[in-house]
C-alpha cells in the first residue's frame, strides 16, 4: 500500500478530533495542529487541500495556513520531529503512520474475506442456516438439499451416505452470529479511515449482516450507524441512502446519529431533513454547534407556520422574541454574520408589527431601516419570506401593500434623523404618506418638511413634490406663505391631482400674489375640471372669474394678458356677461384674429394657459357666439373700410347664418357695395349668391336697381332652393328680365323634378316657356313633358293639336313629334286589327294517348309527361304531366316554357280544378285535374291565351 489518500486522511482526522486539548495554537491544541500538518503532507503526489482540511476542523482556511506556517521548526525539523527534506523530490517518512496503514490494510483484507470454518463447503459462502449431514460435515441447508437431488454421496468426502437426514447445528449458528456482530463492530470502527471503495464494500457487507435482525432495536441502531457512514462517502446515491436512513433515525430517536448526519449536510439538505423531525427532537438538537443556525431556522419556520395557522398574537410574539434573541446570540458569537436573520426579523416587523405589543421607539434603528427596505417590493418580500420561513407569512393575502400600519415605521425612522439629513427625512415621510395619506401626523410633518425643502432648495421639481405640497395645503385650506408661493412653478403636472374647488382656491391665492398669468392658467384648469364633472354652472363662474382677472391687466398692449383676454373672449363670449360695445377695439381685433386662425388660437392657448381651452374639441370653430364679435367690429368701421366691413360681416354670417342682426347688416352692406361698384362685388366670390339667398330666404323683393346689376350666373344660383328659384323667376319677370327669368325657371323645374315634385316642375316649365319661347332648354323640357303626357293620355293627339294652335306655329318641332305619334297610333291600330283577325282561328286541341302507360300500376310519385305542343302565341309551348300522388289518385299537371295566361278544358277527368291559370315563371307546373287510373287518353282544349302585359288575348272559337 502507498501513502494514504485524501479520504483516508479525512477519516483519520475525524477519528482523532475528539482528543483532549493541550497547548493551544490558533484555537486548536498542538496535537490537533500536528494532525493538520500530517494531513497536508503530500501523499503519492497528492496532498489534502487546505480548504478540505478547514472543512474537517470547522475553521477558516486562513487559520489552517497560519497553523502550518507556525508548525515549521526553526532548527531544521518539522513538527513531527523529522528532518526536513533536502530536495523537492524527497518525501518525509512517517514510520508510525506507515505502520498504522499497514495494519489497516491487513484488517480490510480480513474483513472482506469470510472464515473458512463458517462457510459452506459447497457454496463457499457464509452460512445462514447451518445443518449437519450424515457425513458429519456442516452445510448450508439450501445447498445440501440441492446437492441431494442429484447425488447420494458426501459433498466433502465423496463417500456414499446412508441417509439424507439433516440436523441444525446451533453451535455453528451461534458462532456465525457472533462473527457477524464482531465484524459489524470492526467495520464501524475502521470504515471512516478507509478509501471510499473499501469503505463502501465493507459497509454494504455490514448492512447485509444487520438487516436480517430487524426490527430489533439494537439492529436498527447498528444499521443507522452503517448508513450514516455510507451517506458521507463520495460516489454513492446519497438521496437513496437518506430515504432509508432518516425514517430509522426518527423511529429510534437517535439524536447523536442525527447530529452526525447533519454535520455532513448542506443547509438545504439539513432543513429538508429537519422538516421531518418532530418539534421535541428538534429542540433537543438546538445546542451551540455547526448547525445551530439551521436548527434555529427550522424552529422559526415551525413558529411561523403555527402563527399562520392559528393567527394568534401570542404566536406572533413568540416568533418575534425568538428572532430578536437569536440575532443577539449571533451578534455575540459571530459578529457581522447575522444579516439573513436581521432581514427575517425586519420582514416580520414590516408586515405585522401592529399585532404585537412591542413599541417602535424600542426597536433598533438598523432593524427599523431594514424593515422599511422590505416594503419596497411585495413579490421580493414574499420570495424572501418563503425562502426563510417556508411560508409567505400571509403577505399575499394582505388587503394592501405596503400595509397601512407600516406608515408609523417610516415616520418613526424620519423622526430620528437630524436636520442635516433633510433629504432622507423627506424621502421617508413621502414613503409614509404614500402608504397612508390619511395619517394626520404624517401629513403635518410632510407639509412642514416640504415647505422647508422649498425654502432651502428653491424648488421641488422631482417626484412631483410640488403637487403634493399644493395638495396638502389646499386640503387643509391653509394659506401658502408668500416666500414659498414665489418659488412654485405651478406646472400642469403639479396640478393634476387637485380637485376643481382646490384649483379655484389656488387660482385666487396665486392672483393675490401678483401672478395673474399663472392664476389664469390655474383657473382654466379648474373650469375644465368642473365641466368634466358635469358642473356647468361652477365652470361658467370660473370662466367669468378668469375674464375679470385678465381684463384688468389687458390695458397694456405689450402685456400677455391682452392675448389671453382676447382668446377667452373669442372662445367663451356666449358665456361671459361682457358688453361688446364697452370693449376696446384692439381687444376685439385680437379676438377676431384668433377666430380666423384656429391654429394660432390653439398655440396661444397652450402657450399661455397650458391648455387648449377646449378649442380642439368644440363642435364648431369659430363658435356661434363669436358672430357678434365680427359684427361689432364691423359696425365700428367707416365707409372707407367698407371692403373690410363686408368681409367681417360675411365671416359673421358664415359663423351663424341664422342670426337676424348679422343677416340684416350683411344684406344692407351687400346691396350698398353692389350699387357703389355697379357690378358684382367680387367676381371670384359668391357674394351675389349670398345676396340672392338672403333676400329670398326673407322673401323680400329685390330692389329694381339692384336687380339690374345682378349677373345671375349658374354658380350664384347653385345654393338656392327650388321655391327660391321660382320666386326669383317671378321677380325677374317684374324687372323685365324675362330671358333670365326663363333660365331661372328652368333651373327651378329641374330641381323640383329631382325632388320628386312633378306638378311644381311642370308649372315651372310652363312659366319658363311663357317667359321666353326661344329658350331651347325650356322648349326641350316642354317637349319632354308633352311626350310623357302623350304616353299616358289617350287623347294626347287632340291636346297636341290644341297646343300647337295655341303656340301659333312657333314650335315647329312639335309638329314632327305629333306626326310621329299619329303614325305610332296608326301602327297600333293596325296591330289591333291583326289581333281581331285571330278571333277566327279554329279551335286548338291536343289528344294524349295514355293506353301504353298502365297508370294503375304506377308507384307513389311516379310521373309521365306528354310531348310539347305550341299554344299559338310567340314561341310558347306546353305539355301535360301525370303523377301518382296517393293510393288510387292521379294528378294532371299543365306545364309551359314561358310566362303566359291560358284558358282551357281537359276531358275526361274526375274533377277539373282550374279552367284558367297565369304562369309567371318558365317551366312552372300547376295541377289542373284528377283523372282515373283507367283513363285511355286525355284531350286538352285551348280556349284562349295571352302573353303577359298584352291588352288583347288570342281566343280560340268554334267556327
Amino acid at each position: 500500500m502507498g501513502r494514504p489518500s485524501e479520504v483516508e486522511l479525512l477519516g483519520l482526522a475525524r477519528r482523532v478530533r475528539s482528543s483532549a486539548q493541550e497547548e493551544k495554537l490558533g484555537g486548536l491544541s498542538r496535537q490537533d495542529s500536528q494532525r493538520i500538518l500530517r494531513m497536508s503532507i503530500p501523499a503519492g503526489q497528492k496532498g489534502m487541500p487546505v480548504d478540505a482540511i478547514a472543512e474537517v476542523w470547522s475553521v477558516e482556511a486562513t487559520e489552517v495556513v497560519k497553523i502550518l506556517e507556525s508548525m515549521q521548526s526553526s532548527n531544521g525539523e518539522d513538527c513531527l520531529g523529522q528532518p526536513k527534506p533536502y530536495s523537492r523530490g524527497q518525501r518525509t517518512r512517517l514510520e508510525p503512520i506507515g505502520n498504522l496503514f499497514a495494519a489497516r490494510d491487513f484488517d480490510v483484507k480480513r474483513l472482506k474475506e469470510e472464515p473458512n470454518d463458517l462457510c459452506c463447503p459447497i457454496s463457499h459462502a457464509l452460512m445462514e442456516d447451518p445443518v449437519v449431514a450424515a457425513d458429519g460435515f456442516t452445510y448450508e441447508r439450501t445447498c445440501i438439499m440441492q446437492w441431494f437431488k442429484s447425488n447420494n454421496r458426501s459433498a466433502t468426502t465423496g463417500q456414499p451416505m446412508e441417509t439424507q437426514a439433516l440436523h441444525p447445528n446451533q453451535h455453528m449458528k451461534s458462532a456465525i452470529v457472533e462473527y457477524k456482530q464482531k465484524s459489524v463492530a470492526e467495520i464501524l470502527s475502521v470504515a471512516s479511515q478507509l478509501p471510499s471503495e473499501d469503505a463502501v464494500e465493507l459497509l454494504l457487507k455490514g448492512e447485509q449482516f444487520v438487516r436480517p435482525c430487524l426490527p430489533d432495536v439494537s439492529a436498527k441502531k447498528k444499521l443507522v450507524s452503517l448508513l450514516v457512514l455510507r451517506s458521507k462517502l463520495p460516489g454513492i446515491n446519497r438521496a437513496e441512502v437518506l430515504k432509508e436512513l432518516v425514517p430509522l433515525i426518527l423511529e429510534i430517536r437517535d439524536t447523536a446519529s442525527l447530529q452526525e448526519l447533519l454535520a455532513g449536510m448542506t443547509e438545504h439538505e439539513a432543513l429538508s431533513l429537519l422538516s421531518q423531525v418532530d418539534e421535541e427532537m428538534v429542540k433537543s438538537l438546538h445546542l451551540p454547534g455547526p448547525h445551530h443556525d439551521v436548527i434555529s431556522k427550522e424552529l422559526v419556520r415551525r413558529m411561523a407556520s403555527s402563527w399562520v395557522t392559528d393567527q394568534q398574537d401570542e404566536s406572533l410574539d413568540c416568533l418575534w422574541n425568538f428572532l430578536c434573541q437569536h440575532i443577539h446570540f449571533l451578534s455575540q458569537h459571530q459578529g457581522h454574520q447575522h444579516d439573513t436573520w436581521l432581514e427575517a426579523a425586519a420582514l416580520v416587523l414590516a408586515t405585522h408589527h401592529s399585532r404585537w405589543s412591542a413599541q417602535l421607539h424600542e426597536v433598533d434603528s438598523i432593524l427599523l431601516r431594514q424593515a422599511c427596505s422590505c416594503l419596497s417590493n411585495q413579490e421580493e418580500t414574499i420570495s424572501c419570506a418563503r425562502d426563510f420561513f417556508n411560508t409567505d407569512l400571509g403577505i399575499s393575502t394582505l388587503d394592501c401593500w405596503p400595509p397601512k400600519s407600516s406608515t408609523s415605521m417610516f415616520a418613526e425612522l424620519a423622526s430620528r434623523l437630524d436636520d442635516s439629513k433633510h433629504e432622507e427625512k423627506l424621502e421617508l415621510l413621502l414613503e409614509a404618506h404614500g402608504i397612508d395619506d390619511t395619517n394626520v401626523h404624517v401629513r403635518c410633518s410632510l407639509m412642514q418638511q416640504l415647505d422647508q425643502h422649498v425654502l432651502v432648495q428653491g424648488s421641488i421639481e422631482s417626484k412631483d413634490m410640488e403637487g403634493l405640497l399644493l395638495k396638502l395645503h389646499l386640503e387643509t385650506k391653509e394659506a401658502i406663505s408668500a416666500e414659498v408661493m414665489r418659488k412654485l412653478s405651478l406646472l400642469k403636472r403639479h396640478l393634476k391631482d387637485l380637485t376643481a374647488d382646490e384649483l379655484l382656491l389656488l387660482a385666487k391665492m396665486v392672483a393675490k400674489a401678483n401672478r395673474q398669468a399663472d392664476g389664469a392658467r390655474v383657473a382654466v384648469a379648474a373650469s375644465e375640471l368642473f365641466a368634466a364633472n358635469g358642473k356647468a354652472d361652477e365652470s361658467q363662474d370660473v370662466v367669468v372669474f378668469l375674464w375679470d382677472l385678465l381684463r384688468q391687466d389687458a390695458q397694456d398692449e405689450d402685456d400677455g394678458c391682452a392675448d389671453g383676454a382676447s382668446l377667452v373672449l373669442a372662445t367663451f363670449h356666449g358665456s361671459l356677461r361682457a358688453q361688446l360695445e364697452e370693449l376696446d377695439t384692439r381687444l376685439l381685433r385680437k379676438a377676431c384674429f384668433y377666430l380666423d386662425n384656429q391654429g394660432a388660437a390653439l398655440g396661444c392657448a397652450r402657450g399661455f394657459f397650458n391648455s387648449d381651452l377646449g378649442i380642439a374639441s368644440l363642435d364648431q370653430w369659430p363658435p356661434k357666439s363669436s358672430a357678434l364679435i365680427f359684427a361689432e367690429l364691423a359696425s365700428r368701421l367707416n365707409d372707407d373700410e367698407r371692403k373690410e366691413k363686408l368681409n367681417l360681416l360675411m365671416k359673421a354670417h358664415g359663423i351663424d347664418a341664422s342670426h337676424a342682426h348679422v343677416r340684416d347688416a350683411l344684406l344692407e352692406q351687400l346691396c350698398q357695395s353692389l350699387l357703389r361698384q355697379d357690378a358684382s362685388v367680387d367676381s371670384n366670390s359668391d357674394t351675389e349668391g349670398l345676396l340672392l339667398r338672403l333676400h329670398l330666404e326673407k322673401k323680400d323683393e329685390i330692389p329694381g336697381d339692384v336687380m339690374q346689376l345682378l349677373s345671375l350666373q349658374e354658380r350664384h344660383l347653385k345654393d338656392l332652393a327650388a321655391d327660391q328659384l321660382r320666386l326669383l323667376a317671378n321677380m325677374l319677370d317684374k324687372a323685365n328680365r324675362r330671358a333670365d327669368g326663363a333660365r331661372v325657371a328652368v333651373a327651378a323645374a329641374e330641381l323640383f323634378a329631382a325632388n320628386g315634385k312633378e306638378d311644381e316642375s311642370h308649372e315651372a316649365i310652363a312659366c319658363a316657356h311663357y317667359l321666353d319661347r326661344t329658350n331651347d332648354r325650356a322648349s326641350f323640357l316642354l317637349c319632354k313633358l308633352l311626350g310623357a303626357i302623350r304616353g299616358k293620355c289617350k287623347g294626347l293627339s287632340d291636346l297636341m293639336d290644341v297646343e300647337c294652335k295655341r303656340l301659333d306655329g312657333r314650335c315647329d318641332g312639335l309638329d314632327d313629334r305629333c306626326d310621329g305619334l299619329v303614325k305610332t297610333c296608326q301602327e297600333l291600330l293596325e296591330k289591333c286589327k291583326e289581333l281581331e283577325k285571330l278571333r277566327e282561328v279554329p279551335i286548338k286541341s291536343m289528344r294524349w294517348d295514355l293506353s301504353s302507360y298502365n297508370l294503375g300500376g304506377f308507384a307513389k310519385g311516379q310521373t309521365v309527361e306528354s310531348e310539347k305542343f305550341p299554344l299559338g302565341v310567340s314561341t310558347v309551348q306546353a305539355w301535360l304531366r301525370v303523377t301518382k300522388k296517393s293510393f288510387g289518385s292521379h294528378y294532371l299537371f299543365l306545364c309551359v316554357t314561358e310566362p303566359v295566361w291560358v284558358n282551357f278544358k281537359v276531358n275526361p277527368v274526375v274533377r277539373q280544378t282550374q279552367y284558367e291559370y297565369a304562369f309567371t315563371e318558365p317551366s312552372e307546373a300547376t295541377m289542373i285535374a284528377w283523372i282515373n287510373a283507367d283513363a285511355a287518353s286525355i284531350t286538352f282544349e285551348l280556349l284562349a291565351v295571352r302573353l303577359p302585359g298584352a291588352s288583347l288575348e288570342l281566343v280560340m272559337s268554334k267556327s
Side-chain angles (χ1 to χ4, degrees):
M1 298 291 290
R3 283 288 184 177
S5 66
E6 179 182 323
V7 175
E8 295 167 347
L9 290 170
L10 180 61
L12 176 62
R14 286 174 175 167
R15 185 178 175 189
V16 302
R17 184 177 176 184
S18 60
S19 60
Q21 290 187 350
E22 299 175 355
E23 179 185 352
K24 296 294 181 179
L25 181 62
L28 298 173
S29 67
R30 185 168 184 81
Q31 183 178 359
D32 290 340
S33 301
Q34 291 174 349
R35 290 167 183 156
I36 289 176
L37 183 58
R38 287 192 183 97
M39 295 168 71
S40 68
I41 294 174
Q45 303 303 324
K46 294 183 180 179
M48 191 169 183
V50 172
D51 292 341
I53 298 173
E55 181 181 359
V56 171
W57 292 93
S58 300
V59 296
E60 296 290 338
T62 55
E63 192 67 26
V64 174
V65 174
K66 290 179 182 178
I67 292 171
L68 293 174
E69 291 175 351
S70 64
M71 292 296 294
Q72 300 297 324
S73 173
S74 61
N75 58 5
E77 294 183 351
D78 60 19
C79 63
L80 302 178
Q82 300 293 336
K84 290 184 180 180
Y86 293 102
S87 65
R88 202 173 202 181
Q90 292 177 327
R91 295 183 301 173
T92 303
R93 302 288 184 178
L94 299 176
E95 295 300 332
I97 296 180
N99 295 335
L100 173 64
F101 292 139
R104 184 208 64 193
D105 292 340
F106 174 76
D107 290 341
V108 170
K109 183 176 181 181
R110 177 177 56 80
L111 289 172
K112 285 184 178 180
E113 298 176 354
E114 308 292 2
N116 291 330
D117 56 339
L118 300 181
C119 295
C120 175
I122 299 175
S123 65
H124 303 289
L126 190 66
M127 292 182 286
E128 296 292 337
D129 186 8
V131 293
V132 179
D135 59 358
F137 290 95
T138 300
Y139 301 92
E140 175 65 32
R141 182 185 293 274
T142 57
C143 294
I144 192 62
M145 291 179 67
Q146 184 66 28
W147 174 269
F148 284 155
K149 289 181 179 180
S150 58
N151 294 278
N152 58 1
R153 294 177 178 274
S154 170
T156 303
T157 65
Q159 298 297 321
M161 297 180 67
E162 298 177 356
T163 178
Q164 294 184 356
L166 301 174
H167 303 283
N169 189 339
Q170 295 296 338
H171 176 73
M172 180 65 72
K173 189 164 188 177
S174 298
I176 292 172
V177 170
E178 183 180 358
Y179 163 73
K180 287 183 177 180
Q181 291 175 348
K182 289 181 179 180
S183 296
V184 169
E186 284 191 71
I187 289 171
L188 289 173
S189 64
V190 303
S192 60
Q193 308 168 28
L194 302 178
S196 59
E197 297 82 357
D198 295 336
V200 170
E201 183 178 352
L202 290 178
L203 289 171
L204 289 174
K205 181 177 181 180
E207 291 177 22
Q208 290 177 358
F209 289 170
V210 171
R211 290 184 188 279
C213 300
L214 297 176
D216 181 71
V217 175
S218 177
K220 288 182 179 179
K221 291 183 178 180
K222 291 179 180 178
L223 181 59
V224 165
S225 300
L226 292 167
L227 290 173
V228 168
L229 290 173
R230 189 154 66 93
S231 68
K232 297 178 181 180
L233 297 176
I236 58 109
N237 190 341
R238 183 180 178 85
E240 191 67 27
V241 175
L242 292 178
K243 186 177 180 181
E244 181 182 9
L245 174 59
V246 172
L248 280 172
I249 292 177
L250 299 181
E251 182 180 353
I252 64 177
R253 305 187 66 79
D254 188 352
T255 306
S257 296
L258 183 58
Q259 287 178 329
E260 185 179 359
L261 182 61
L262 289 172
M265 287 186 169
T266 64
E267 180 178 336
H268 177 73
E269 292 174 333
L271 286 173
S272 177
L273 172 58
L274 289 172
S275 64
Q276 306 174 46
V277 181
D278 62 76
E279 189 167 350
E280 182 181 354
M281 194 170 182
V282 173
K283 289 181 178 179
S284 67
L285 297 171
H286 192 230
L287 300 171
H291 277 78
H292 180 70
D293 257 14
V294 176
I295 298 170
S296 298
K297 183 179 284 190
E298 176 60 26
L299 288 173
V300 165
R301 286 186 170 187
R302 292 173 184 244
M303 292 179 186
S305 176
S306 175
W307 175 76
V308 170
T309 303
D310 59 32
Q311 289 292 311
Q312 296 295 321
D313 292 346
E314 293 79 4
S315 301
L316 190 59
D317 283 340
C318 291
L319 174 62
W320 170 251
N321 292 331
F322 185 90
L323 288 169
C324 293
Q325 292 170 7
H326 191 71
I327 291 172
H328 178 72
F329 172 82
L330 292 176
S331 64
Q332 294 296 322
H333 293 80
Q334 298 183 19
H336 66 283
Q337 298 180 3
H338 62 281
D339 293 345
T340 304
W341 286 88
L342 185 65
E343 182 180 353
L347 193 150
V348 175
L349 174 65
T351 53
H352 300 293
H353 84 89
S354 62
R355 298 193 56 174
W356 67 72
S357 56
Q359 300 298 320
L360 285 177
H361 64 268
E362 301 173 356
V363 179
D364 183 71
S365 296
I366 297 177
L367 183 56
L368 197 60
R369 188 178 296 277
Q370 182 71 27
C372 291
S373 66
C374 290
L375 297 168
S376 59
N377 189 309
Q378 185 178 14
E379 291 184 0
E380 289 183 3
T381 303
I382 292 174
S383 177
C384 291
R386 286 175 176 162
D387 288 344
F388 192 90
F389 297 102
N390 209 25
T391 175
D392 66 359
L393 294 177
I395 298 173
S396 60
T397 61
L398 292 175
D399 295 335
C400 63
W401 184 265
K404 281 194 173 185
S405 60
S406 61
T407 303
S408 55
M409 289 193 305
F410 287 97
E412 173 64 26
L413 188 57
S415 67
R416 300 184 185 186
L417 302 177
D418 54 31
D419 292 339
S420 63
K421 298 181 179 179
H422 63 87
E423 290 278 356
E424 183 181 357
K425 189 173 184 178
L426 179 58
E427 289 291 335
L428 289 170
L429 289 173
L430 286 171
E431 288 285 349
H433 183 265
I435 296 170
D436 184 7
D437 57 3
T438 62
N439 190 301
V440 178
H441 172 67
V442 172
R443 289 166 63 87
C444 293
S445 300
L446 179 59
M447 187 165 59
Q448 294 173 3
Q449 192 65 29
L450 286 171
D451 286 345
Q452 182 181 356
H453 190 79
V454 171
L455 296 175
V456 173
Q457 299 293 332
S459 66
I460 45 175
E461 290 295 320
S462 62
K463 297 184 180 179
D464 196 24
M465 288 189 289
E466 180 176 323
L468 181 57
L469 182 147
L470 293 173
K471 186 74 173 175
L472 293 173
H473 274 282
L474 294 171
E475 283 181 347
T476 58
K477 297 184 179 179
E478 182 175 342
I480 304 173
S481 66
E483 294 82 359
V484 174
M485 181 65 79
R486 282 195 295 269
K487 296 185 178 183
L488 297 180
S489 63
L490 298 176
L491 297 177
K492 189 173 182 179
R493 59 189 176 88
H494 300 150
L495 311 177
K496 60 184 178 60
D497 293 329
L498 301 181
T499 65
D501 291 317
E502 291 168 351
L503 287 170
L504 180 57
L505 178 60
L506 177 61
K508 294 177 181 179
M509 290 182 182
V510 174
K512 288 181 180 179
N514 293 324
R515 295 179 63 177
Q516 279 76 12
D518 292 326
R521 297 186 188 99
V522 177
V524 167
S527 175
E528 291 177 344
L529 193 53
F530 273 127
N533 295 336
K535 298 181 178 180
D537 295 339
E538 289 83 350
S539 177
Q540 173 61 31
D541 292 341
V542 177
V543 170
V544 174
F545 165 77
L546 174 64
W547 167 249
D548 293 338
L549 177 64
L550 292 174
R551 186 183 176 190
Q552 292 174 3
D553 292 339
Q555 303 302 324
D556 185 2
E557 187 173 359
D558 295 332
D559 190 1
C561 290
D563 288 332
S566 300
L567 191 57
V568 171
L569 175 64
T571 309
F572 301 108
H573 170 256
S575 303
L576 298 175
R577 295 185 288 270
Q579 300 297 325
L580 292 177
E581 58 272 11
E582 298 176 358
L583 299 181
D584 183 62
T585 301
R586 178 176 58 88
L587 200 61
L588 291 177
R589 282 194 179 276
K590 282 191 174 183
C592 291
F593 167 74
Y594 289 129
L595 290 169
D596 277 341
N597 192 331
Q598 187 177 11
L602 285 170
C604 177
R606 289 167 179 161
F608 188 82
F609 296 106
N610 289 332
S611 167
D612 64 1
L613 295 180
I615 295 173
S617 60
L618 288 175
D619 296 335
Q620 172 185 336
W621 184 264
K624 273 194 172 185
S625 60
S626 63
L628 290 177
I629 300 177
F630 285 99
E632 175 62 25
L633 183 59
S635 67
R636 300 188 183 188
L637 302 180
N638 53 38
D639 291 342
D640 295 338
E641 299 172 307
R642 59 177 177 271
K643 186 172 183 179
E644 181 183 357
K645 185 174 184 178
L646 178 59
N647 288 335
L648 288 172
L649 289 172
M650 290 185 68
K651 290 176 182 178
H653 182 265
I655 295 170
D656 186 4
S658 62
H659 201 288
H661 171 68
V662 174
R663 291 164 60 88
D664 293 342
L666 176 59
L667 185 59
E668 180 182 357
Q669 189 64 30
L670 285 172
C671 290
Q672 290 178 4
S673 299
L674 189 64
L675 291 173
R676 286 193 183 96
Q677 297 180 9
D678 296 328
S680 298
V681 176
D682 187 353
S683 60
N684 295 323
S685 64
D686 192 23
T687 52
E688 181 177 320
L690 180 59
L691 184 148
L692 290 173
R693 191 165 64 253
L694 291 174
H695 268 291
L696 294 172
E697 284 175 352
K698 294 178 63 177
K699 297 185 179 180
D700 288 345
E701 288 288 340
I702 302 176
D705 52 352
V706 174
M707 182 66 79
Q708 296 302 324
L709 296 175
L710 297 177
S711 64
L712 299 175
Q713 297 179 20
E714 184 175 353
R715 61 189 178 89
H716 300 150
L717 308 177
K718 62 184 178 59
D719 294 329
L720 299 181
D723 292 328
Q724 293 173 343
L725 289 171
R726 184 67 183 82
L727 179 59
L728 178 60
N730 291 339
M731 292 182 182
L732 290 170
D733 183 18
K734 293 179 181 179
N736 201 23
R737 294 182 64 176
R738 298 172 66 85
D740 291 328
R743 182 162 53 84
V744 173
V746 167
E750 291 177 339
L751 194 54
F752 274 129
N755 295 336
K757 298 181 178 181
E758 293 185 359
D759 293 340
E760 290 84 347
S761 176
H762 297 166
E763 192 273 335
I765 292 173
C767 176
H769 191 267
Y770 165 73
L771 292 175
D772 185 7
R773 289 180 171 81
T774 63
N775 188 299
D776 294 338
R777 184 62 179 168
S779 300
F780 172 75
L781 291 176
L782 183 60
C783 292
K784 186 177 179 181
L785 173 62
L786 293 176
I789 295 173
R790 186 179 304 117
K792 296 179 180 178
C793 183
K794 185 178 179 181
L796 182 61
S797 179
D798 296 338
L799 181 60
M800 290 298 298
D801 289 340
V802 174
E803 184 63 20
C804 288
K805 291 178 182 180
R806 189 178 70 81
L807 293 177
D808 295 329
R810 294 184 178 90
C811 299
D812 297 335
L814 292 178
D815 292 338
D816 296 336
R817 292 186 179 88
C818 291
D819 292 341
L821 181 60
V822 171
K823 184 177 180 180
T824 301
C825 293
Q826 289 175 353
E827 291 175 354
L828 289 174
L829 291 174
E830 290 297 329
K831 289 182 179 180
C832 290
K833 290 178 181 179
E834 291 177 1
L835 290 174
E836 286 294 332
K837 292 178 181 180
L838 292 177
R839 292 180 179 272
E840 301 302 327
V841 176
I843 187 170
K844 299 291 184 178
S845 65
M846 190 276 298
R847 181 179 179 278
W848 183 20
D849 186 7
L850 300 175
S851 59
S852 61
Y853 293 118
N854 187 20
L855 298 181
F858 272 25
K860 183 177 180 180
Q862 188 172 350
T863 299
V864 63
E865 293 182 348
S866 70
E867 295 182 355
K868 295 181 180 179
F869 53 88
L871 292 181
V873 291
S874 184
T875 60
V876 181
Q877 290 183 312
W879 68 95
L880 297 177
R881 178 190 299 164
V882 175
T883 301
K884 175 71 173 293
K885 286 294 185 179
S886 60
F887 181 75
S889 177
H890 293 73
Y891 292 178
L892 181 63
F893 292 87
L894 176 62
C895 309
V896 296
T897 58
E898 297 180 33
V900 70
W901 173 88
V902 292
N903 192 354
F904 56 86
K905 285 185 181 180
V906 291
N907 189 41
V909 296
V910 176
R911 179 162 61 91
Q912 186 168 344
T913 61
Q914 301 185 45
Y915 292 93
E916 60 179 295
Y917 188 78
F919 292 89
T920 59
E921 295 291 338
S923 303
E924 186 176 358
T926 182
M927 191 190 79
I928 57 177
W930 285 271
I931 64 173
N932 290 324
D934 57 355
S937 64
I938 292 294
T939 301
F940 177 83
E941 183 178 354
L942 181 63
L943 303 180
V945 62
R946 181 177 73 236
L947 293 174
S951 58
L952 299 176
E953 63 186 55
L954 182 60
V955 179
M956 310 301 174
S957 61
K958 297 178 181 179
S959 57

